[in-house]
Amino acid sequence: MKKAIIGKKVGMTQIFDESGKVIPVTVVEAGPCVVTQKKTEETDGYSAVQLGFEDIKESKLTKPEAGHLKKAGVEAKKHLKEFKLEGAADMNVGDVVKADTFAAGDMIDVTGISKGHGYQGVVKRYHAGRVDMTHGGGPVHRHAGSMGALDAARIFKGKIGAGQMGNEQVTVQNLEVVKVDAELNMIVIRGAIPGPKGGLVYLFNTVKNNKVKQAGADISKNPQKASGRNPQKASARG
């Protein structure tokens, strides 16, 4: 992992590029984050740093949390997260990581807690089909139906069922950073990210760099192929 930062989702909006095309974006208040702990190869067996984000009153922390931050000599922080950064060995307790650790054009992964949707049935939770409404369907139109095995006399793990929907950790990969404003602690990301407004998110360098397919890139130059004989038709079909 090369770069990372903790942020808070502000919300979604849209901006326009130089050609006038609209870009749906999510605004994130990223940092400033303070290094609250440093792990080294000699003492811990690996190199990493712990970042703290968002100021909070010390009275709202538990005694272990308050003692941990007091030992580091930094102000009370609400959120702490450890990252194995590439330059962790060169960082020290008290260093500040700001939004400009990322730049426009960087590809990142964003991790957050998805919106909770409460207790839901199998139709909404897993897109299961329902029973026909005619010929004595009864009050079970949206039920999961029988799923137990005859000989096992139990339901095997992994079967769909009603239950808590959402409110789980989700990572969206390979998102593009459109704009960075270090003064406002703002990172603008193309597309949607997990969580509600005000939700905590973690931004990392992406683990996979999938280039966005350009228009016409899939047209073959081989005249023996359909895309080579009629590129306009091939691009329209794609």
Side-chain angles (χ1 to χ4, degrees):
M1 186 187 300
K2 295 182 180 179
K3 297 182 289 186
I5 196 170
I6 308 173
K8 184 166 60 175
K9 180 178 178 179
V10 177
M12 290 198 70
T13 183
Q14 61 184 23
I15 60 176
F16 297 88
D17 61 10
E18 297 176 354
S19 62
K21 293 183 178 180
V22 65
I23 303 175
V25 296
T26 303
V27 180
V28 174
E29 179 188 345
C33 298
V34 180
V35 177
T36 57
Q37 188 179 19
K38 180 179 179 180
K39 300 291 184 71
T40 61
E41 293 283 353
E42 294 78 13
T43 58
D44 303 284
Y46 65 98
S47 181
V49 292
Q50 183 188 75
L51 299 183
F53 172 68
E54 196 172 355
D55 294 335
I56 189 176
K57 291 182 180 180
E58 187 176 343
S59 59
K60 293 188 176 182
L61 297 176
T62 63
K63 287 187 177 180
E65 290 172 339
H68 171 67
L69 295 173
K70 191 173 183 180
K71 180 180 178 181
V74 298
E75 296 182 0
K77 297 295 180 182
K78 186 176 182 179
H79 307 288
L80 301 176
K81 176 73 173 177
E82 185 177 291
F83 301 96
K84 293 183 178 180
L85 302 181
E86 189 178 42
D90 300 326
M91 302 177 70
N92 297 309
V93 175
D95 289 352
V96 179
V97 178
K98 297 183 178 180
D100 56 4
T101 187
F102 292 100
D106 288 350
M107 305 303 292
I108 62 173
D109 296 342
V110 181
T111 298
I113 303 298
S114 63
K115 291 182 180 180
H117 295 274
Y119 190 93
Q120 301 297 338
V122 291
V123 174
K124 183 172 182 179
R125 193 181 183 200
Y126 292 108
H127 308 289
R130 61 168 177 78
V131 180
D132 292 337
M133 301 293 288
T134 56
H135 299 293
V140 294
H141 302 295
R142 296 172 66 90
H143 287 200
S146 176
M147 61 177 66
L150 293 176
D151 55 345
R154 64 184 177 88
I155 298 177
F156 293 110
K157 289 183 178 181
K159 289 286 189 179
I160 65 174
Q164 166 70 34
M165 181 178 176
N167 193 31
E168 58 186 2
Q169 181 171 294
V170 178
T171 299
V172 180
Q173 296 180 321
N174 213 37
L175 298 176
E176 180 186 1
V177 175
V178 178
K179 183 180 179 181
V180 175
D181 192 325
E183 295 183 0
L184 298 177
N185 302 319
M186 180 180 68
I187 295 180
V188 181
I189 304 169
R190 181 191 295 266
I193 65 174
K197 294 178 181 178
L200 191 71
V201 291
Y202 304 115
L203 280 60
F204 317 88
N205 278 94
T206 187
V207 296
K208 61 180 183 181
N209 288 306
N210 292 342
K211 295 182 179 179
V212 178
K213 182 179 283 188
Q214 300 296 325
D218 58 340
I219 298 176
S220 174
K221 295 182 180 179
N222 187 350
Q224 300 297 325
K225 293 186 177 181
S227 59
R229 294 193 300 270
N230 193 345
Q232 291 184 347
K233 183 177 180 180
S235 59
R237 185 173 64 249

